[in-house]
Amino acid sequence: MKEVPCMYRLKPVCGLQARVELPKCMYRLRQIQGSFDSTDVRHNNVMAKSFIIEEQDNHPAVTKLEQRQEIILSQLRNLKRLVDELSRQLRVPPSSAVQPAGSICMKKSFQEVAPKEVLQLVVKASPSRLPHALLAVIQYSCDGVEDSSKVKPGCIEVKWYSHSTLSLPLPCLPTSQEHKCKPSVCITFIWKDAVKGVEFSVGNSPFWLKGEPLLMRVIMSHISTTPSEESIVSDVALAALLDSCAAISELTKSSSSSSVRQTLSEANKWFSCLDLIPSRYHRMSASEISLWGSLKGLCITNDGSLPQETPAKLNEWFTSYSRFLYA
Amino acid sequence: MVQDKENEAVPAEGTQAKSKKQLKKEAKDSAKAAKKDRKSQVAETQPPADDYSVGKYGNTPMIQSKEHVQRHYVHVKDLDPESAGKTVWIRGRLHTSRAIGKQCFVLIRQQQYTVQAILAVNDAISKPMVKFASNISKESIVDVEAEVSTVASKIEKCTQKDVELQVKQIWVISSAKPQLPLQIEDAARPITEEEVEGPNIAVNQDTRLDNRVLDLRTPANQAIFRLEAGVCRLFRDILTDKGFVEIHTPKIISAASEGGANVFTVSYFKGSAYLAQSPQLYKQMAIAADFDRVFTVGAVFRAEDSNTHRHLTEFVGLDLEMAFKHHYHEVLDVIGQTFTDMFRGLQEKYSAEIAAVAKQYPVEPFVFLDPPLRLEFSEARALLKEAGVDLGEEDDLSTPDEKLLGRLVKAKFDTDFYILDKYPLAVRPFYTMPDPNNPKTSNSYDMFMRGEEILSGAQRIHDPEYLTERAKVHGVDIEKIAAYIESFRYGCPPHAGGGIGMERVVMLYLGLDNIRKTSMFPRDPKRITP
């Protein structure tokens, strides 16, 4: 995964009570006029250790940014763990080195490994927040459409379960036909009320991961055998787009217009950056299907249509992609 | 020396001799005291002259069905704010009573439901009546006529929290001994680790079982056995709806059902017989007799000297057997779905009972998946391996392995009930059908609740020649099972089935720690009474 460039790299600190201020300049000299400045760099090495500073009025934007940073760092840790897990399953050594910008290791790993183990997933979701992208992928798997741009036919086997605590009605589920080829992904799907979004675990791993975009990335990377040039994207932009998809999934009916606009604008920004998803040339890639799924969820929330805050380009793409999926 | 003969008495050693005068005085005093006692006894039975509540309270004569009494009784559970203002008759037990000044608060209990009743001295209720009520011994059965009234604040200690009774009449139908071997309050107290105010007395299991009649009156026990009845009813109803026929198999048999030494021997006229360990043979004979789908509910006897939390020497077995067309999974699906339907039925129809049990024995609610989760033994092996337990290909699961697997399955799939299919052939009985696709596995399965096994089943070998061959492989004496093999010689459809212990299912469903809690009068190696 590409390393995000920055001046300083610190270990993420979790649960720390005290606020830590990162130095904004190389040196800070003691004030010779006025009161004594406690941050005398000649006595205390600011770079070496953190220290508690006097409470200042925090700019809300800074606090928000720090919180976001923590979230992203924990997501990166989870992703790294997942990559290591998948690499182990694909029988390649786990990659800890930074990948060159503009490429991902998926293509190389697919070429090196011939037969893949069946990817075993346990997925939990609630009927109140349907995983549209996942259901679409499963439907295509069931339909067995012979199209290299779409999911390989018969490659996802799903066992549907309802949890005993489920009180909400189930949606219409994709009906599976008898698979002609051995499935490459086996999903144990549990419908449960008290699940926010989608939770999943891979193989026998005890960890539970969250988010449909992440799940789509796992599935698509496993079943896709012909990664085309168009699917090779920069990790940062892809991650940012998938991040936006997660943020879109969090929107509800009660979300304010400004937050909806801001979230969709953010998604549109990354969507526009990715020339590799042109509106006339669709692929069932993780990013596209995740974006479509998140927007579809927004449609359901808004009684069938995208909110008016949706940028025109995104709206047009969504309509076009829906036609592509339901064709 | 002249002695005064009148006052002469024989002195006791070390005491002064009493004079006749003194003796007379003592006799007079004792007569006076006896008269006073007699008077007070009479006063107890006869109301005082100023008692205006005469005819509204007292001890009724023993009910010998002398006459028909036209009186409608209301169950305590039906007392609600909608009955406010109505005068009702209830019959229940006096749970507790507390006299405060001119008032007496009485808790009446009917099965697992309680309601508060009040007697207060007024124009209709006299002081002697209030005193009588406060002196009724606990657990006595009483008839109470009262007016239902609503309360300003809920009475938390009662099940009927929104109403109370203003007593008009109170009669003792059957009096209980004042000294009870155990208090219902103590037996019904939840066991918590937190420190509570007042005496935190817990009644131990042996005391409960020795006084089972009293112990069964607690709300939790009332709920447990009602739920157990529900399990049986649901089992019958669900299977009957699926076309099963209930059969009744003999319990006195001539040979041990499953082999081994765990059989009770009984003297049978001039010889001996055994108590049935399972209805296995008879279920299969019923299938061979074209009943297609059968089930049985009956006693099972196992002379296992196991003093554990989950073994009894006598329990109720719920067994079923079913013929199938091509694959034993047809049967497995039916069994699995039966359990799911049963759990759902309990959830829907017995939620009050489940809550009552959880109040005394708090535990996580039982959760399951629909359809039931089914794993193969190889998947279970992989899960255990991930957790650090390495099982050989032909190894069985030990009890700790089963418990660990239960926890892993719960963490991964969020279910307390699952099916484990394709057990290793080496660990199954001789009559289990081997898996044709894998010589090391069998067409057999176990089902688990909260990490403990509740059912063991399989496709049975229905071909007599193959059965003989498998019996030889297992070193079983063919002569001893000749009758068993013979029953397959006249054509028998492929079939599979299994059996569960009713008490164990209830124990695990409710998350209880001991099977004796779910057996009304349990039998184990150390207990054969009451």
Side-chain angles (χ1 to χ4, degrees), chain B residues 65 70-71 150 155 163 172 221 249 275 315 378 392 446 481 529:
Chain B
S65 306
Q70 301 299 329
R71 185 184 287 171
T150 51
I155 305 169
V163 294
V172 175
N221 278 332
T249 60
L275 295 181
F315 59 91
S378 53
D446 276 6
I481 58 168
T529 58

Side-chain angles (χ1 to χ4, degrees), chain A residues 161-164 192 201 203 208, chain B residues 367-371 412-414:
Chain A
Y161 295 93
S162 301
H163 197 263
S164 56
K192 194 177 172 185
S201 75
W208 282 93
Chain B
V367 294
F368 53 95
L369 300 180
D370 187 5
K412 193 160 180 67
F413 299 100
D414 203 3

Side-chain angles (χ1 to χ4, degrees), chain A residues 88 122 124 159-165 188 190 192 201-206 208, chain B residues 344 347 366-374 379 382-383 386 411-415:
Chain A
R88 191 178 61 80
V122 179
K124 285 193 242 180
K159 292 179 195 169
W160 305 98
Y161 295 93
S162 301
H163 197 263
S164 56
T165 52
T188 302
I190 301 171
K192 194 177 172 185
S201 75
V202 181
N204 291 327
S205 167
W208 282 93
Chain B
R344 212 172 275 291
Q347 207 176 31
F366 186 82
V367 294
F368 53 95
L369 300 180
D370 187 5
L373 179 71
R374 192 189 304 172
E379 293 175 90
L383 272 172
E386 191 75 24
K412 193 160 180 67
F413 299 100
D414 203 3
T415 177

Side-chain angles (χ1 to χ4, degrees), chain B residues 136-336:
Chain B
I136 299 174
S137 54
K138 284 186 185 177
E139 295 303 303
S140 297
I141 298 177
V142 293
D143 270 2
V144 169
E145 187 195 26
E147 184 182 324
V148 182
S149 62
T150 51
V151 291
S153 54
K154 286 183 185 286
I155 305 169
E156 293 300 332
K157 59 188 172 187
C158 296
T159 59
Q160 313 311 103
K161 297 181 195 307
D162 300 317
V163 294
E164 65 182 3
L165 302 176
Q166 308 296 330
V167 175
K168 292 180 176 178
Q169 293 191 56
I170 183 164
W171 298 93
V172 175
I173 302 298
S174 176
S175 182
K177 273 171 69 174
Q179 301 297 327
L180 298 173
L182 65 91
Q183 298 293 326
I184 306 298
E185 263 180 301
D186 294 337
R189 185 170 293 119
I191 299 167
T192 57
E193 290 174 4
E194 297 165 4
E195 289 183 8
V196 293
E197 286 181 18
N200 190 12
I201 301 164
V203 183
N204 73 38
Q205 186 161 266
D206 280 333
T207 307
R208 287 178 186 272
L209 296 178
D210 289 339
N211 302 281
R212 198 53 163 161
V213 164
L214 285 171
D215 183 48
L216 287 172
R217 294 179 191 176
T218 60
N221 278 332
Q222 289 281 316
I224 286 170
F225 294 101
R226 280 177 166 70
L227 190 127
E228 197 162 88
V231 165
C232 282
R233 187 173 71 81
L234 286 163
F235 185 75
R236 278 199 168 95
D237 290 348
I238 292 164
L239 290 180
T240 305
D241 286 343
K242 290 184 195 298
F244 281 75
V245 175
E246 184 172 6
I247 63 171
H248 301 276
T249 60
K251 302 294 175 264
I252 305 173
I253 56 175
S254 61
S257 313
E258 303 239 348
N262 301 335
V263 282
F264 288 111
T265 310
V266 294
S267 62
Y268 195 77
F269 297 102
K270 290 180 183 173
S272 294
Y274 304 96
L275 295 181
Q277 290 170 294
S278 83
Q280 176 75 22
L281 168 63
Y282 298 99
K283 282 192 297 177
Q284 291 187 261
M285 288 170 74
I287 296 296
D290 282 351
F291 278 92
D292 199 50
R293 298 179 175 200
V294 296
F295 73 95
T296 171
V297 178
V300 171
F301 303 93
R302 301 241 168 120
E304 256 183 64
D305 195 6
S306 296
N307 295 290
T308 71
H309 74 283
R310 59 182 193 157
H311 285 98
L312 294 172
T313 49
E314 179 187 353
F315 59 91
V316 176
L318 309 176
D319 286 81
L320 66 109
E321 203 76 18
M322 180 180 143
F324 61 85
K325 299 289 186 288
H326 299 288
H327 201 288
Y328 76 99
H329 279 180
E330 296 165 35
V331 179
L332 195 52
D333 290 342
V334 167
I335 299 177

Side-chain angles (χ1 to χ4, degrees), chain B residues 352-387:
Chain B
E353 281 77 9
I354 294 167
V357 176
K359 204 173 170 188
Q360 183 167 357
Y361 305 110
V363 77
E364 289 283 319
F366 186 82
V367 294
F368 53 95
L369 300 180
D370 187 5
L373 179 71
R374 192 189 304 172
L375 301 172
E376 292 207 355
F377 199 87
S378 53
E379 293 175 90
R381 210 184 286 125
L383 272 172
L384 285 169
K385 191 171 181 183
E386 191 75 24

